[in-house]
Amino acid sequence: MITLDTSAVVALLHRKDPDHDRMREAFLEATPPYLIPVAILAEITYFLETRSGPRVLDAFLADLEEEAFSLDCGTAALPRIRALVARYADLPLGFADASVIACAERHGGAVLTLDERHFGVVAREGRLSVLPSAS
């Protein structure tokens, strides 16, 4: 089970992204379900619209409709999200990243992301593993 960050989803779906192959390989090695926190859907769709266009956005929406990804971490995750935002205010760790971390912590700790800056800091505390490993 793996939780996906916005950067991972965008790289996976945008074949011209320089990190597409690396993200795809790590994604295919992970065991489903593939979790996407509901809190980052707007962020994902914005980047897909602006970087990849309407066809890729529609393909992502179809994947969601067909449950290729599991949406998770709604209101029950808010106390942990708030705690993470407060704990890492100097980073700053924003709402979107905190929601991914909270979701991952509830489901084994694995996060697929390109954001080693934010997620790497939290991972050093031992509750999170960031994939793919730095290359």
Side-chain angles (χ1 to χ4, degrees), residues 65-85:
E65 188 176 357
E66 294 166 8
E67 299 181 358
F69 302 104
S70 296
L71 298 179
D72 197 17
C73 299
T75 57
L78 286 172
R80 180 62 178 147
I81 292 168
R82 288 183 65 210
L84 286 163
V85 169

Side-chain angles (χ1 to χ4, degrees), residues 2 4 12 20-32 34 112 131:
I2 192 164
L4 306 178
L12 282 167
H20 172 78
D21 291 338
R22 189 164 68 106
M23 285 290 114
R24 186 175 184 279
E25 183 178 318
F27 178 79
L28 293 174
E29 288 176 4
T31 303
Y34 308 109
L112 186 63
L131 303 170

Side-chain angles (χ1 to χ4, degrees), residues 93-105:
L93 184 71
F95 174 75
D97 288 347
S99 69
V100 172
I101 292 165
C103 187
E105 287 176 344

Side-chain angles (χ1 to χ4, degrees), residues 36-120:
I36 296 178
V38 294
I40 66 169
L41 284 177
E43 187 177 66
I44 291 170
T45 57
Y46 169 78
F47 283 116
L48 291 177
E49 287 175 48
T50 58
R51 294 182 183 179
S52 303
R55 277 193 250 158
V56 174
L57 174 61
D58 185 61
F60 174 67
L61 295 174
D63 283 345
L64 289 175
E65 188 176 357
E66 294 166 8
E67 299 181 358
F69 302 104
S70 296
L71 298 179
D72 197 17
C73 299
T75 57
L78 286 172
R80 180 62 178 147
I81 292 168
R82 288 183 65 210
L84 286 163
V85 169
R87 163 78 172 85
Y88 296 100
D90 60 330
L91 193 50
L93 184 71
F95 174 75
D97 288 347
S99 69
V100 172
I101 292 165
C103 187
E105 287 176 344
R106 288 179 47 185
H107 299 286
V111 175
L112 186 63
T113 185
L114 292 169
D115 183 356
E116 294 176 23
R117 177 176 174 245
H118 292 115
F119 292 94

Side-chain angles (χ1 to χ4, degrees), residues 10-21:
V10 172
L12 282 167
L13 297 176
H14 186 74
R15 288 193 176 119
K16 293 181 183 178
D17 187 291
D19 293 297
H20 172 78
D21 291 338

